[in-house]
Amino acid sequence: MVEFRFHSRGGQGGVVAGKLMAVSLFKEGKHVQTFPTFGVERRGAPVMTFVRISDEPIRLRNQVYEPDHIVILDPSLIQHFDVTQGLKKDGIIIINTDKDVSEFNFPSDFHPVAVNAARIAINHKLGSITQPIVNTAILGALAKITGIVSLDSVVAAVKEEAPVKPEANAAAAIEAYNSVEAVAI
Amino acid sequence: MQKVLTGNQTVSWGVMRARAQVIAAYPITPQTTIIEELANLVDEGKLEASFIKVESEHSALAGCIGAAQAGARTFTATSAQGLALMHELIHWASLGRLPIVLADVNRAMAPGWTIWTDQNDSLSQRDTGWLQFYCESNQEVMDTAIQAFKIAEIVKLPVMLVLDAFFLSHTAEAVDIPEPEEVDKFLPPYEADLKVDFDNPRAFSGMTGVDIYQEFRYLQHEAMNEALTVTEKVDQEYGKQFGRTYGLVEPYRCEDAEAIIVTTATATSTAREVIDQWRDRGESVGLLKIRTFRPFPTELVREALRGVPKVGILDRNICPGFGGIFAQEIKASMYDMEEKFRPDIYGFIAGLGGRDITPDTINEILEKTIHPEKTEKHLNWIALRD
């Protein structure tokens, strides 16, 4: 079983990112499970979303405390939370940022990768300039970086499930996929 | 057809497949997305139903009662304070013998204000004469939703379909959605024996004198007893057609068990994983899942626990001043069992207000059940903060 934890804020699409990732992997025949930890439901509140992927039926229904990999949709969360808490050694950190990843000083146990998902989302008119919706771009990048799911599956899931602008969301996923390099895991 | 659905979406799709005709509902977290999805399905023409927006949960159930009395298949959904506000009409629906199906997304009662899961909202409705089914997975939610209408319409009692807030309601996983024509074969349109009929006017729920009220209660009680066999039969029939059955209880790896833990809802799923780990280490432990709280499967529980030395019961609920509610029911079921077969029973409270039930929670309960030297018999709080 592989476990992911997404960090986002309410309204940014972290929960939908989990769902889209689950649908992508379901299309590849995997067992999947995703759920958010809601705090109070409001825009801007920190939200964690978990995704479990397995070749066997998934029975654990508790939260994920020791993820294999994490995805950070909003880098401002890093100031307030220990986002890498419980992250397994050699875990990948995918972070939406325009900065160089070295600026975040993540422990050397991990493989951080920066994705400028906000720029890509803005290019495709997803959300607004101040509040871009980065989830589909992040997923495209995740497909390339982790190799855990194919771009085709991500694009198919996005076209089926994206609440709005399926074509633009799919294009953002493809652009993000092509903007990053795979990490050997 | 398989789709990745949240627990709440699953309820909505199950209700669509069951072809509910009237839905009256009022939003409340974490249930709201059930009725949002149903409103969409009605709006898109995928479900031919009247969707009645109302001003409170009390009115929601009143709407369902009126519609059911008129012979319609009816559905509503709620949580916590919303269910509590329905309480007067919860009794009415059952004594009126109306086969309404209600999805309750388990949410802890306020205050302190909370939106997270525990079972006190639904268990507070224990003595109202509703059937209650506690679900472990989204697939079980789908299958139970469809079964619920059939069972309700046979025994003429309302059914509460219960699922954990967030751990099911907002959890997405793959669900097999039965084909509409298959569900139609299993669940034909509802034909009420007695209903509002303008050509043949009747009075319903009128003044019931001292000479006859007790008999109404007797018949309600008998209907609940009948629900034990009807639930089993409907589940078997469902299994023949769709390949999945659940039973009223499910013993898991209980062969020659030294100790068994009793669980409900999503805690069961996590506990299966833990039981497998203990069995792999050679420990003789097992699990008993209870799916139906009403009717309470007394005989099946007795059979499963008879002769087992130690039993630990996980309650995600509390009867203040007494203990866990499932523990009460199970102990009452075991009272007149011969002493040599009657297990030592330990009660555990965990996971209130949405606190996570992890493998460690289950491990601790198993440890304290197997090695009870420092375990209280009646009530043990797990992971209680100072």
Side-chain angles (χ1 to χ4, degrees):
Chain A
M1 183 152 66
V2 182
E3 295 176 317
F4 278 74
R5 187 173 67 205
F6 287 65
H7 294 267
S8 63
R9 291 183 185 275
Q12 288 180 332
V15 180
V16 174
K19 175 88 185 279
L20 292 172
M21 184 177 169
V23 171
S24 310
L25 280 138
F26 169 70
K27 287 179 178 299
E28 299 188 355
K30 298 288 186 187
H31 292 274
V32 294
Q33 179 201 74
T34 178
F35 65 103
T37 60
F38 273 114
V40 281
E41 290 176 274
R42 61 163 191 255
R43 284 191 176 270
V47 178
M48 286 192 289
T49 306
F50 309 116
V51 179
R52 290 191 167 105
I53 305 150
S54 176
D55 293 325
E56 306 295 325
I58 298 165
R59 299 184 297 181
L60 289 178
R61 292 187 179 276
N62 56 304
Q63 298 180 23
V64 172
Y65 297 95
E66 294 180 354
D68 294 280
H69 309 294
I70 62 171
V71 181
I72 304 163
L73 273 68
D74 186 332
S76 75
L77 289 164
I78 293 172
Q79 298 156 28
H80 307 292
F81 296 96
D82 179 8
V83 290
T84 60
Q85 189 174 32
L87 178 61
K88 285 187 186 140
K89 191 168 177 303
D90 297 324
I92 295 174
I93 303 169
I94 301 172
I95 182 164
N96 164 36
T97 181
D98 58 0
K99 298 197 178 89
D100 190 276
V101 82
S102 62
E103 291 185 33
F104 294 98
N105 294 316
F106 287 115
S108 58
D109 286 353
F110 308 131
H111 299 289
V113 182
V115 185
N116 200 341
R119 182 189 54 77
I120 294 169
I122 291 165
N123 284 351
H124 293 276
K125 299 189 167 53
L126 299 170
S128 63
I129 289 173
T130 50
Q131 267 273 1
I133 304 294
V134 300
N135 51 11
T136 45
I138 278 278
L139 271 188
L142 182 149
K144 177 76 157 289
I145 293 164
T146 65
I148 203 161
V149 62
S150 73
L151 179 64
D152 285 351
S153 300
V154 169
V155 167
V158 166
K159 285 185 179 174
E160 258 173 48
E161 298 269 339
V164 291
K165 300 187 183 173
E167 293 300 329
N169 273 298
I174 293 165
E175 186 179 338
Y177 181 93
N178 291 321
S179 76
V180 291
E181 296 301 323
V183 170
I185 46 173
Chain B
M1 174 179 58
Q2 278 213 337
K3 253 177 100 71
V4 176
L5 297 177
T6 64
N8 279 354
Q9 283 177 309
T10 306
V11 173
S12 312
W13 280 63
V15 170
M16 173 171 71
R17 284 291 186 261
R19 300 194 191 281
Q21 295 163 296
V22 176
I23 297 151
Y26 188 80
I28 181 169
T29 301
Q31 166 282 121
T32 304
T33 51
I34 295 176
I35 60 165
E36 280 178 356
E37 179 86 352
L38 279 167
N40 286 337
L41 294 170
V42 171
D43 181 54
E44 291 163 5
K46 291 178 180 162
L47 172 61
E48 281 181 50
S50 298
F51 189 99
I52 308 172
K53 289 183 284 182
V54 290
E55 71 282 6
S56 74
E57 287 87 353
H58 191 274
S59 301
L61 192 50
C64 289
I65 286 170
Q69 197 77 83
R73 185 170 284 161
T74 61
F75 174 81
T76 189
T78 193
S79 292
Q81 316 301 119
L83 184 63
L85 184 57
M86 284 180 177
H87 180 71
E88 180 206 353
L89 294 170
I90 289 279
H91 278 287
W92 192 288
S94 175
L95 274 167
R97 306 295 301 275
L98 299 169
I100 296 161
V101 174
L102 178 154
D104 180 61
V105 179
N106 266 152
R107 161 178 158 173
M109 296 302 298
W113 200 242
T114 165
I115 55 174
W116 297 280
T117 199
D118 75 35
Q119 299 172 328
N120 260 85
D121 60 346
S122 51
L123 293 176
S124 298
Q125 306 298 337
R126 184 186 71 171
D127 300 335
T128 57
W130 283 59
L131 283 70
Q132 291 193 3
F133 293 86
Y134 289 79
C135 296
E136 181 185 350
S137 67
N138 289 355
Q139 188 64 59
E140 187 173 344
V141 168
M142 167 62 70
D143 299 332
T144 305
I146 295 166
Q147 291 185 9
F149 285 98
K150 182 148 185 163
I151 296 164
E153 288 164 16
I154 293 171
V155 298
K156 301 187 181 70
L157 287 174
V159 175
M160 211 174 279
L161 164 70
V162 188
L163 57 156
D164 283 328
F166 300 108
F167 294 113
L168 274 196
S169 69
H170 288 62
T171 295
E173 58 189 1
V175 178
D176 185 60
I177 305 168
E179 296 304 322
E181 50 278 14
E182 288 295 312
V183 178
D184 290 345
K185 271 187 237 163
F186 175 79
L187 180 67
Y190 172 45
E191 294 291 344
D193 298 346
L194 289 172
K195 60 180 178 183
V196 174
D197 177 355
F198 293 111
D199 297 327
N200 184 18
R202 296 168 190 273
F204 290 94
S205 310
M207 178 62 80
T208 308
V210 292
D211 56 334
I212 197 75
Y213 179 88
Q214 188 163 306
E215 284 66 27
F216 273 79
R217 279 297 200 182
Y218 171 78
L219 291 171
Q220 182 194 33
H221 174 71
E222 285 298 298
M224 189 61 89
N225 283 337
E226 186 198 350
L228 282 166
T229 45
V230 170
T231 300
E232 189 74 52
K233 202 170 139 265
V234 167
D235 188 46
Q236 290 298 324
E237 195 185 322
Y238 190 89
K240 273 193 198 127
Q241 202 177 332
F242 299 100
R244 291 180 296 270
T245 58
Y246 299 93
L248 285 80
V249 302
E250 183 200 336
Y252 181 71
R253 305 197 75 172
C254 287
E255 318 77 50
D256 305 322
E258 278 295 302
I260 285 179
I261 56 165
V262 182
T263 59
T264 55
T266 53
T268 305
S269 187
T270 302
R272 287 178 197 270
E273 191 80 18
V274 176
I275 292 290
D276 282 357
Q277 290 165 7
W278 281 60
R279 282 279 179 180
D280 288 348
R281 294 202 303 264
E283 307 260 11
S284 304
V285 295
L287 166 74
L288 180 67
K289 164 186 173 175
I290 298 188
R291 175 171 176 245
T292 55
F293 176 69
R294 281 294 179 277
F296 194 76
T298 305
E299 286 307 320
L300 294 170
V301 169
R302 284 166 64 95
E303 202 178 299
L305 300 183
R306 182 184 158 89
V308 176
K310 295 163 191 160
V311 171
I313 299 164
L314 166 54
D315 269 297
R316 196 174 215 161
N317 60 75
I318 176 80
C319 172
F322 197 86
I325 295 170
F326 279 89
Q328 274 181 50
E329 302 277 327
I330 291 166
K331 284 186 204 168
S333 302
M334 310 298 274
Y335 173 72
D336 58 356
M337 185 178 275
E338 276 178 83
E339 203 173 339
K340 62 176 173 180
F341 296 120
R342 197 169 58 212
D344 288 336
I345 297 179
Y346 304 94
F348 299 92
I349 304 288
L352 302 190
R355 186 165 296 178
D356 207 3
I357 293 182
T358 67
D360 282 348
T361 316
I362 307 293
N363 280 324
E364 188 176 342
I365 291 171
L366 277 166
E367 283 292 347
K368 287 184 164 162
T369 301
I370 287 184
H371 304 292
E373 298 76 28
K374 289 183 185 163
T375 308
E376 297 291 331
K377 259 212 142 165
H378 194 62
L379 175 57
N380 301 273
W381 291 81
I382 300 296
L384 193 66
R385 296 172 63 172
D386 292 331

